[in-house]
Amino acid sequence: MAAMTTSSLLSNSTKPIQNHRLVSPFRAYVQRTSVSASLSTPKYNLSSFKFDPIKESIVSREMTRRYMTDMITYADTDVVIVGAGSAGLSCAYELSKDPSINIAIIEQSVSPGGGAWLGGQLFSAMVVRKPAHVFLDEIGVPYDEQDNYVVIKHAALFTSTIMSRLLARPNVKLFNATAVEDLIVKENRVAGVVTNWALVSMNHNTQSCMDPNVMESKVVVSSCGHDGPFGATGVKRLKDIGMIDSVPGMKALDMNTAEDAIVRLTREVVPGMIVTGMEVAEIDGAPRMGPTFGAMMISGQKAAHLALRALGRPNALDGTIGSEIPEADLVLASSEGGEIVEG
Ligand code: AHZ
């Protein structure tokens, strides 16, 4: 009886999916793009494998020297992106195409990716509404194509792909396990972030004073997600210090309204600070979209072009890509007239 149940379950689950559109575009994509994974003899002997020797202190010095060099390099940088969820990663990916811009990504978690390791309710698949699938084509993430949307078979495929592309770029440094605790503000302009090891940030109530570190930047992009223990940090701090009036919090779910609104409202909220992703809904009381991710990608892309504009670099918002921009320190991203301010 048990065997019968198992086999009938099995035969149901292995039945071909009726809607051929669900399967064939993905297969076609994989056939076009996958590298050959055929079994071949490894280039070393697996029966008597031996590593080259190393001194333990060398391992320690390699890690320490590189990390400390990065800290020195990025103590004063072009753009700091706070939060490596789908919006922050998309922003960093787009921005890092300009090799003249140095980008530090600060992520409080040990594992970057925010909520984008899963679809919704801990399911695997990630839904992306068209035309945001063009972004997936660019980074090389395969999907099942439907009429108005596409489905990536596992959200982790998007997150791991964008991260591997991004982190290979020489002008990007990810500082994970590091939290942004505060902002640097000078003359009403956000001028960087105040950081601490995330584990230290989480223990301010158990230890006496554990002072933070700082990172100056020309532009800060806040992509901290919606409110939570570490969410919406950027906009909540702006409210605390009186730079914005209120943070009403995201409204109830409406996918259609929410995704367009997030992209439309992605902007430089105060001089020097651009907000992207779900943090935008917090500041504007816009609806949430739940488990559809296209708005995170396009909002991140728009934030990148706002940052490029703020840095006086060619950008898609001004239609200046491919043209020479006059030497300018900083252009207010929020200014329609391209008003230039001092760096
Ligand atoms: O750990 C956070 C996460 O990885 C990180 N973060 C937040 N505050 C931080 C701080 N310092 C350093 N002070 C911090 N890191 O920011 C990341 C935010 O990622 P996310 O995936 O939560 O936000 P997102 O805006 O990129 O994507 C939102 C995805 C959602 S939520 C939602 C809904 O609830 O309706 N729908 C979508 C698509």
Side-chain angles (χ1 to χ4, degrees):
M1 179 65 187
M4 247 182 75
T5 316
T6 313
S7 77
S8 62
L9 273 178
L10 196 68
S11 64
N12 271 345
S13 66
T14 52
K15 254 170 54 186
I17 298 166
Q18 293 306 308
N19 180 357
H20 73 280
R21 300 201 61 211
L22 206 62
V23 177
S24 54
F26 177 69
R27 288 229 175 102
Y29 186 96
V30 169
Q31 276 160 10
R32 278 202 310 277
T33 60
S34 68
V35 249
S36 164
S38 56
L39 211 52
S40 62
T41 311
K43 292 187 171 55
Y44 30 73
N45 187 342
L46 287 176
S47 320
S48 57
F49 189 91
K50 202 160 165 39
F51 286 101
D52 288 347
I54 198 161
K55 256 173 87 58
E56 282 74 4
S57 55
I58 288 176
V59 176
S60 173
R61 282 194 191 113
E62 285 295 349
M63 293 190 299
T64 312
R65 182 168 50 81
R66 283 157 204 267
Y67 199 89
M68 293 308 158
T69 304
D70 283 335
M71 286 186 82
I72 291 165
T73 307
Y74 285 92
D76 186 358
T77 190
D78 295 312
V79 182
V80 165
I81 297 176
V82 189
S86 42
L89 290 173
S90 301
C91 176
Y93 172 84
E94 186 72 10
L95 197 52
S96 60
K97 288 178 187 167
D98 185 332
S100 73
I101 294 181
N102 284 330
I103 303 148
I105 308 169
I106 316 280
E107 168 55 55
Q108 63 84 22
S109 173
V110 171
S111 33
W117 290 109
L118 292 157
Q121 197 174 308
L122 309 189
F123 294 143
S124 310
M126 176 185 262
V127 175
V128 176
R129 290 167 59 204
K130 290 182 179 177
H133 68 299
V134 173
F135 188 66
L136 301 176
D137 291 340
E138 183 185 326
I139 56 177
V141 174
Y143 49 73
D144 297 333
E145 185 154 10
Q146 300 293 301
D147 285 339
N148 294 333
Y149 62 91
V150 302
V151 186
I152 306 166
K153 71 172 183 168
H154 203 300
L157 185 54
F158 164 75
T159 303
S160 58
T161 304
I162 193 166
M163 224 172 333
S164 64
R165 291 282 162 92
L166 171 65
L167 295 181
R169 290 188 173 146
N171 52 339
V172 175
K173 170 66 188 177
L174 167 68
F175 294 93
N176 42 341
T178 306
V180 166
E181 293 188 338
D182 203 346
L183 302 168
I184 303 174
V185 178
K186 290 181 186 173
E187 291 165 10
N188 228 31
R189 182 181 178 90
V190 174
V193 292
V194 176
T195 61
N196 220 325
W197 307 121
L199 291 175
V200 171
S201 290
M202 291 158 77
N203 272 285
H204 283 307
N205 56 348
T206 66
Q207 303 286 317
S208 57
C209 182
M210 297 185 283
D211 272 322
N213 198 359
V214 287
M215 197 177 278
E216 286 190 78
S217 69
K218 293 176 183 144
V219 177
V220 171
V221 176
S222 196
S223 45
C224 295
H226 59 62
D227 203 0
F230 267 110
T233 333
V235 297
K236 286 193 293 194
R237 190 62 184 138
L238 287 181
K239 179 174 174 282
D240 289 346
I241 58 179
M243 288 183 81
I244 57 174
D245 293 335
S246 67
V247 178
M250 64 183 177
K251 286 221 178 77
L253 190 149
D254 174 356
M255 287 184 184
N256 286 297
T257 314
E259 291 214 273
D260 291 347
I262 293 289
V263 177
R264 188 178 69 254
L265 297 168
T266 298
R267 64 193 186 282
E268 186 181 33
V269 288
V270 298
M273 186 162 134
I274 294 160
V275 180
T276 178
M278 273 308 283
E279 198 170 2
V280 173
E282 291 289 326
I283 196 176
D284 288 311
R288 71 193 303 182
M289 73 289 302
T292 53
F293 283 80
M296 300 301 111
M297 298 164 197
I298 309 303
S299 166
Q301 235 182 351
K302 182 175 174 186
H305 286 271
L306 286 164
L308 288 167
R309 177 198 269 177
L311 293 164
R313 301 291 303 160
N315 64 86
L317 296 167
D318 295 337
T320 47
I321 287 178
S323 64
E324 276 305 309
I325 294 272
E327 277 296 309
D329 259 353
L330 291 168
V331 180
L332 269 186
S334 52
S335 134
E336 292 303 320
E339 180 191 345
I340 293 170
V341 296
E342 274 187 28

mmCIF file of all heavy atoms in Angstrom, residues 82-88 106-109 113-116 178-180 223-226 230-231 233 250 276-279 288-293 296, ligand 1:
data_model
loop_
_atom_site.group_PDB
_atom_site.id
_atom_site.type_symbol
_atom_site.label_atom_id
_atom_site.label_comp_id
_atom_site.label_asym_id
_atom_site.label_seq_id
_atom_site.Cartn_x
_atom_site.Cartn_y
_atom_site.Cartn_z
ATOM 1 N N VAL A 82 24.769 51.207 1.513
ATOM 2 C CA VAL A 82 24.458 50.556 2.792
ATOM 3 C C VAL A 82 23.373 49.511 2.552
ATOM 4 O O VAL A 82 22.245 49.847 2.197
ATOM 5 C CB VAL A 82 23.968 51.575 3.841
ATOM 6 C CG1 VAL A 82 23.860 50.902 5.206
ATOM 7 C CG2 VAL A 82 24.875 52.789 3.900
ATOM 8 N N GLY A 83 23.727 48.242 2.730
ATOM 9 C CA GLY A 83 22.752 47.156 2.558
ATOM 10 C C GLY A 83 22.945 46.454 1.230
ATOM 11 O O GLY A 83 22.820 47.064 0.169
ATOM 12 N N ALA A 84 23.273 45.150 1.301
ATOM 13 C CA ALA A 84 23.527 44.367 0.079
ATOM 14 C C ALA A 84 22.379 43.413 -0.205
ATOM 15 O O ALA A 84 22.572 42.223 -0.429
ATOM 16 C CB ALA A 84 24.848 43.616 0.212
ATOM 17 N N GLY A 85 21.143 43.929 -0.181
ATOM 18 C CA GLY A 85 19.995 43.154 -0.650
ATOM 19 C C GLY A 85 19.893 43.300 -2.160
ATOM 20 O O GLY A 85 20.819 43.784 -2.824
ATOM 21 N N SER A 86 18.738 42.913 -2.724
ATOM 22 C CA SER A 86 18.607 42.947 -4.186
ATOM 23 C C SER A 86 18.745 44.368 -4.732
ATOM 24 O O SER A 86 19.342 44.578 -5.801
ATOM 25 C CB SER A 86 17.276 42.325 -4.625
ATOM 26 O OG SER A 86 16.214 42.735 -3.798
ATOM 27 N N ALA A 87 18.247 45.369 -4.005
ATOM 28 C CA ALA A 87 18.361 46.754 -4.489
ATOM 29 C C ALA A 87 19.807 47.246 -4.416
ATOM 30 O O ALA A 87 20.340 47.801 -5.380
ATOM 31 C CB ALA A 87 17.435 47.664 -3.684
ATOM 32 N N GLY A 88 20.452 47.030 -3.270
ATOM 33 C CA GLY A 88 21.831 47.494 -3.100
ATOM 34 C C GLY A 88 22.781 46.822 -4.085
ATOM 35 O O GLY A 88 23.660 47.467 -4.665
ATOM 36 N N ILE A 106 28.421 48.213 2.416
ATOM 37 C CA ILE A 106 28.450 47.846 3.839
ATOM 38 C C ILE A 106 27.225 46.995 4.137
ATOM 39 O O ILE A 106 26.094 47.440 3.909
ATOM 40 C CB ILE A 106 28.400 49.096 4.746
ATOM 41 C CG1 ILE A 106 29.331 50.199 4.242
ATOM 42 C CG2 ILE A 106 28.701 48.721 6.197
ATOM 43 C CD1 ILE A 106 30.751 50.055 4.578
ATOM 44 N N GLU A 107 27.452 45.809 4.623
ATOM 45 C CA GLU A 107 26.348 44.878 4.906
ATOM 46 C C GLU A 107 26.510 44.341 6.331
ATOM 47 O O GLU A 107 27.545 43.775 6.662
ATOM 48 C CB GLU A 107 26.359 43.747 3.880
ATOM 49 C CG GLU A 107 25.460 42.564 4.209
ATOM 50 C CD GLU A 107 24.005 42.940 4.471
ATOM 51 O OE1 GLU A 107 23.381 43.588 3.624
ATOM 52 O OE2 GLU A 107 23.494 42.579 5.556
ATOM 53 N N GLN A 108 25.454 44.512 7.135
ATOM 54 C CA GLN A 108 25.576 44.100 8.535
ATOM 55 C C GLN A 108 25.638 42.583 8.694
ATOM 56 O O GLN A 108 26.256 42.081 9.631
ATOM 57 C CB GLN A 108 24.440 44.706 9.376
ATOM 58 C CG GLN A 108 23.025 44.275 9.006
ATOM 59 C CD GLN A 108 22.599 42.963 9.633
ATOM 60 O OE1 GLN A 108 23.156 42.542 10.645
ATOM 61 N NE2 GLN A 108 21.619 42.296 9.039
ATOM 62 N N SER A 109 25.039 41.863 7.763
ATOM 63 C CA SER A 109 25.019 40.405 7.895
ATOM 64 C C SER A 109 26.335 39.799 7.400
ATOM 65 O O SER A 109 27.001 40.375 6.545
ATOM 66 C CB SER A 109 23.849 39.838 7.078
ATOM 67 O OG SER A 109 23.907 38.435 7.062
ATOM 68 N N GLY A 113 23.008 39.705 0.500
ATOM 69 C CA GLY A 113 21.899 39.190 -0.310
ATOM 70 C C GLY A 113 20.541 39.589 0.248
ATOM 71 O O GLY A 113 19.537 39.544 -0.448
ATOM 72 N N GLY A 114 20.501 40.006 1.517
ATOM 73 C CA GLY A 114 19.238 40.426 2.126
ATOM 74 C C GLY A 114 18.182 39.338 1.978
ATOM 75 O O GLY A 114 18.453 38.156 2.198
ATOM 76 N N GLY A 115 16.992 39.753 1.526
ATOM 77 C CA GLY A 115 15.887 38.797 1.378
ATOM 78 C C GLY A 115 15.903 38.056 0.057
ATOM 79 O O GLY A 115 14.974 37.284 -0.222
ATOM 80 N N ALA A 116 16.936 38.263 -0.750
ATOM 81 C CA ALA A 116 16.886 37.746 -2.130
ATOM 82 C C ALA A 116 17.489 36.350 -2.279
ATOM 83 O O ALA A 116 17.823 35.936 -3.378
ATOM 84 C CB ALA A 116 17.581 38.728 -3.073
ATOM 85 N N THR A 178 29.515 44.162 8.888
ATOM 86 C CA THR A 178 29.785 45.540 9.315
ATOM 87 C C THR A 178 28.472 46.323 9.232
ATOM 88 O O THR A 178 27.800 46.283 8.194
ATOM 89 C CB THR A 178 30.829 46.180 8.363
ATOM 90 O OG1 THR A 178 31.975 45.339 8.313
ATOM 91 C CG2 THR A 178 31.228 47.572 8.819
ATOM 92 N N ALA A 179 28.130 47.002 10.309
ATOM 93 C CA ALA A 179 26.855 47.735 10.333
ATOM 94 C C ALA A 179 27.092 49.230 10.224
ATOM 95 O O ALA A 179 28.086 49.749 10.744
ATOM 96 C CB ALA A 179 26.116 47.442 11.635
ATOM 97 N N VAL A 180 26.178 49.902 9.541
ATOM 98 C CA VAL A 180 26.178 51.365 9.566
ATOM 99 C C VAL A 180 25.324 51.780 10.750
ATOM 100 O O VAL A 180 24.146 51.452 10.830
ATOM 101 C CB VAL A 180 25.655 51.938 8.236
ATOM 102 C CG1 VAL A 180 25.338 53.420 8.364
ATOM 103 C CG2 VAL A 180 26.689 51.700 7.143
ATOM 104 N N SER A 223 20.140 51.412 1.106
ATOM 105 C CA SER A 223 19.287 50.316 0.588
ATOM 106 C C SER A 223 19.110 49.301 1.706
ATOM 107 O O SER A 223 19.443 48.136 1.563
ATOM 108 C CB SER A 223 19.933 49.686 -0.648
ATOM 109 O OG SER A 223 21.322 49.453 -0.462
ATOM 110 N N CYS A 224 18.581 49.801 2.826
ATOM 111 C CA CYS A 224 18.509 48.995 4.061
ATOM 112 C C CYS A 224 17.236 48.169 4.175
ATOM 113 O O CYS A 224 17.007 47.537 5.208
ATOM 114 C CB CYS A 224 18.626 49.902 5.280
ATOM 115 S SG CYS A 224 20.225 50.701 5.402
ATOM 116 N N GLY A 225 16.371 48.212 3.154
ATOM 117 C CA GLY A 225 15.141 47.414 3.212
ATOM 118 C C GLY A 225 14.097 48.041 4.121
ATOM 119 O O GLY A 225 14.281 49.139 4.642
ATOM 120 N N HIS A 226 12.996 47.323 4.291
ATOM 121 C CA HIS A 226 11.931 47.901 5.127
ATOM 122 C C HIS A 226 12.253 47.737 6.605
ATOM 123 O O HIS A 226 13.203 47.055 6.991
ATOM 124 C CB HIS A 226 10.546 47.369 4.745
ATOM 125 C CG HIS A 226 10.391 45.882 4.860
ATOM 126 N ND1 HIS A 226 10.510 45.209 6.042
ATOM 127 C CD2 HIS A 226 10.107 44.942 3.923
ATOM 128 C CE1 HIS A 226 10.307 43.938 5.850
ATOM 129 N NE2 HIS A 226 10.069 43.732 4.563
ATOM 130 N N PHE A 230 17.423 45.722 11.650
ATOM 131 C CA PHE A 230 18.446 46.469 10.930
ATOM 132 C C PHE A 230 17.843 47.172 9.711
ATOM 133 O O PHE A 230 18.570 47.613 8.840
ATOM 134 C CB PHE A 230 19.576 45.536 10.479
ATOM 135 C CG PHE A 230 20.712 45.455 11.459
ATOM 136 C CD1 PHE A 230 20.937 44.302 12.183
ATOM 137 C CD2 PHE A 230 21.556 46.533 11.649
ATOM 138 C CE1 PHE A 230 21.986 44.221 13.086
ATOM 139 C CE2 PHE A 230 22.611 46.460 12.545
ATOM 140 C CZ PHE A 230 22.830 45.309 13.269
ATOM 141 N N GLY A 231 16.542 47.239 9.603
ATOM 142 C CA GLY A 231 15.917 47.789 8.387
ATOM 143 C C GLY A 231 15.703 49.291 8.454
ATOM 144 O O GLY A 231 15.638 49.878 9.540
ATOM 145 N N THR A 233 17.413 51.755 8.255
ATOM 146 C CA THR A 233 18.300 52.506 9.159
ATOM 147 C C THR A 233 18.553 53.926 8.667
ATOM 148 O O THR A 233 18.569 54.868 9.459
ATOM 149 C CB THR A 233 19.696 51.827 9.252
ATOM 150 O OG1 THR A 233 19.564 50.449 9.006
ATOM 151 C CG2 THR A 233 20.354 52.084 10.578
ATOM 152 N N MET A 250 5.903 51.544 5.225
ATOM 153 C CA MET A 250 5.263 51.045 3.994
ATOM 154 C C MET A 250 3.789 50.749 4.231
ATOM 155 O O MET A 250 3.373 50.410 5.334
ATOM 156 C CB MET A 250 5.987 49.790 3.503
ATOM 157 C CG MET A 250 5.889 48.631 4.458
ATOM 158 S SD MET A 250 6.826 47.219 3.879
ATOM 159 C CE MET A 250 6.584 46.095 5.249
ATOM 160 N N THR A 276 17.064 53.711 -2.082
ATOM 161 C CA THR A 276 16.590 52.751 -3.097
ATOM 162 C C THR A 276 15.972 51.516 -2.429
ATOM 163 O O THR A 276 16.167 51.282 -1.234
ATOM 164 C CB THR A 276 17.759 52.336 -4.032
ATOM 165 O OG1 THR A 276 17.275 51.372 -4.984
ATOM 166 C CG2 THR A 276 18.908 51.697 -3.282
ATOM 167 N N GLY A 277 15.226 50.744 -3.215
ATOM 168 C CA GLY A 277 14.628 49.496 -2.727
ATOM 169 C C GLY A 277 13.477 49.742 -1.771
ATOM 170 O O GLY A 277 12.832 50.795 -1.794
ATOM 171 N N MET A 278 13.236 48.773 -0.899
ATOM 172 C CA MET A 278 12.067 48.855 -0.018
ATOM 173 C C MET A 278 12.156 49.993 0.993
ATOM 174 O O MET A 278 11.147 50.402 1.556
ATOM 175 C CB MET A 278 11.875 47.526 0.716
ATOM 176 C CG MET A 278 11.041 46.523 -0.055
ATOM 177 S SD MET A 278 9.465 47.178 -0.602
ATOM 178 C CE MET A 278 8.532 47.135 0.907
ATOM 179 N N GLU A 279 13.364 50.504 1.223
ATOM 180 C CA GLU A 279 13.484 51.640 2.142
ATOM 181 C C GLU A 279 12.726 52.853 1.600
ATOM 182 O O GLU A 279 12.274 53.701 2.359
ATOM 183 C CB GLU A 279 14.974 51.962 2.381
ATOM 184 C CG GLU A 279 15.177 52.800 3.621
ATOM 185 C CD GLU A 279 16.636 52.949 4.039
ATOM 186 O OE1 GLU A 279 17.527 52.429 3.334
ATOM 187 O OE2 GLU A 279 16.887 53.602 5.066
ATOM 188 N N ARG A 288 3.744 48.022 -0.213
ATOM 189 C CA ARG A 288 4.760 46.989 -0.433
ATOM 190 C C ARG A 288 4.323 46.127 -1.612
ATOM 191 O O ARG A 288 3.141 46.105 -1.969
ATOM 192 C CB ARG A 288 4.929 46.147 0.822
ATOM 193 C CG ARG A 288 3.731 45.239 1.079
ATOM 194 C CD ARG A 288 3.730 44.642 2.442
ATOM 195 N NE ARG A 288 4.947 43.894 2.698
ATOM 196 C CZ ARG A 288 5.164 43.231 3.852
ATOM 197 N NH1 ARG A 288 4.235 43.247 4.799
ATOM 198 N NH2 ARG A 288 6.276 42.578 4.045
ATOM 199 N N MET A 289 5.306 45.406 -2.196
ATOM 200 C CA MET A 289 4.941 44.549 -3.336
ATOM 201 C C MET A 289 5.012 43.073 -2.993
ATOM 202 O O MET A 289 4.587 42.240 -3.783
ATOM 203 C CB MET A 289 5.810 44.848 -4.560
ATOM 204 C CG MET A 289 7.232 44.365 -4.509
ATOM 205 S SD MET A 289 8.200 45.316 -3.339
ATOM 206 C CE MET A 289 8.043 46.953 -3.951
ATOM 207 N N GLY A 290 5.554 42.750 -1.806
ATOM 208 C CA GLY A 290 5.702 41.333 -1.495
ATOM 209 C C GLY A 290 6.704 40.675 -2.432
ATOM 210 O O GLY A 290 7.675 41.306 -2.845
ATOM 211 N N PRO A 291 6.453 39.420 -2.831
ATOM 212 C CA PRO A 291 7.497 38.635 -3.499
ATOM 213 C C PRO A 291 7.627 38.855 -5.007
ATOM 214 O O PRO A 291 7.612 37.906 -5.777
ATOM 215 C CB PRO A 291 7.073 37.202 -3.185
ATOM 216 C CG PRO A 291 5.587 37.282 -3.115
ATOM 217 C CD PRO A 291 5.242 38.621 -2.565
ATOM 218 N N THR A 292 7.768 40.097 -5.441
ATOM 219 C CA THR A 292 8.154 40.365 -6.833
ATOM 220 C C THR A 292 9.341 41.316 -6.776
ATOM 221 O O THR A 292 9.315 42.299 -6.037
ATOM 222 C CB THR A 292 7.013 41.005 -7.656
ATOM 223 O OG1 THR A 292 6.544 42.157 -6.965
ATOM 224 C CG2 THR A 292 5.882 40.040 -7.888
ATOM 225 N N PHE A 293 10.380 41.020 -7.543
ATOM 226 C CA PHE A 293 11.675 41.657 -7.295
ATOM 227 C C PHE A 293 12.139 42.637 -8.359
ATOM 228 O O PHE A 293 13.204 43.243 -8.227
ATOM 229 C CB PHE A 293 12.754 40.579 -7.079
ATOM 230 C CG PHE A 293 12.681 39.963 -5.710
ATOM 231 C CD1 PHE A 293 11.756 38.977 -5.416
ATOM 232 C CD2 PHE A 293 13.528 40.380 -4.698
ATOM 233 C CE1 PHE A 293 11.670 38.412 -4.147
ATOM 234 C CE2 PHE A 293 13.461 39.824 -3.423
ATOM 235 C CZ PHE A 293 12.535 38.837 -3.146
ATOM 236 N N MET A 296 13.151 46.123 -7.257
ATOM 237 C CA MET A 296 14.423 46.239 -6.516
ATOM 238 C C MET A 296 15.572 46.439 -7.514
ATOM 239 O O MET A 296 16.474 47.247 -7.300
ATOM 240 C CB MET A 296 14.665 44.980 -5.674
ATOM 241 C CG MET A 296 13.597 44.695 -4.646
ATOM 242 S SD MET A 296 13.405 46.044 -3.463
ATOM 243 C CE MET A 296 11.811 46.682 -3.898
HETATM 244 O O1 AHZ B 1 21.102 43.186 6.417
HETATM 245 C C1 AHZ B 1 20.328 44.076 5.644
HETATM 246 C C2 AHZ B 1 19.969 43.503 4.274
HETATM 247 O O2 AHZ B 1 20.961 42.627 3.793
HETATM 248 C C3 AHZ B 1 21.111 45.328 5.252
HETATM 249 N N1 AHZ B 1 21.129 46.385 6.272
HETATM 250 C C4 AHZ B 1 20.054 46.981 6.843
HETATM 251 N N2 AHZ B 1 20.429 47.926 7.713
HETATM 252 C C5 AHZ B 1 21.795 47.945 7.686
HETATM 253 C C6 AHZ B 1 22.777 48.687 8.370
HETATM 254 N N3 AHZ B 1 24.073 48.436 8.096
HETATM 255 C C7 AHZ B 1 24.430 47.505 7.182
HETATM 256 N N4 AHZ B 1 22.452 49.626 9.243
HETATM 257 C C8 AHZ B 1 22.235 46.959 6.760
HETATM 258 N N5 AHZ B 1 23.528 46.749 6.514
HETATM 259 O O3 AHZ B 1 20.391 45.830 4.147
HETATM 260 C C9 AHZ B 1 19.921 44.741 3.375
HETATM 261 C C10 AHZ B 1 18.527 45.079 2.878
HETATM 262 O O4 AHZ B 1 18.154 44.085 1.992
HETATM 263 P P1 AHZ B 1 16.625 43.677 1.793
HETATM 264 O O5 AHZ B 1 16.594 42.503 0.895
HETATM 265 O O6 AHZ B 1 15.967 43.592 3.117
HETATM 266 O O7 AHZ B 1 16.026 45.003 1.084
HETATM 267 P P2 AHZ B 1 15.846 45.383 -0.450
HETATM 268 O O8 AHZ B 1 15.185 46.713 -0.448
HETATM 269 O O9 AHZ B 1 17.102 45.219 -1.220
HETATM 270 O O10 AHZ B 1 14.837 44.265 -0.965
HETATM 271 C C11 AHZ B 1 13.567 44.175 -0.395
HETATM 272 C C12 AHZ B 1 12.901 42.932 -0.897
HETATM 273 C C13 AHZ B 1 11.424 42.957 -0.668
HETATM 274 S S1 AHZ B 1 10.728 43.132 0.844
HETATM 275 C C14 AHZ B 1 9.164 43.073 0.193
HETATM 276 C C15 AHZ B 1 7.956 43.164 1.041
HETATM 277 O O11 AHZ B 1 8.108 42.981 2.282
HETATM 278 O O12 AHZ B 1 6.876 43.453 0.504
HETATM 279 N N6 AHZ B 1 9.192 42.908 -1.113
HETATM 280 C C16 AHZ B 1 10.453 42.845 -1.609
HETATM 281 C C17 AHZ B 1 10.714 42.641 -3.069
#
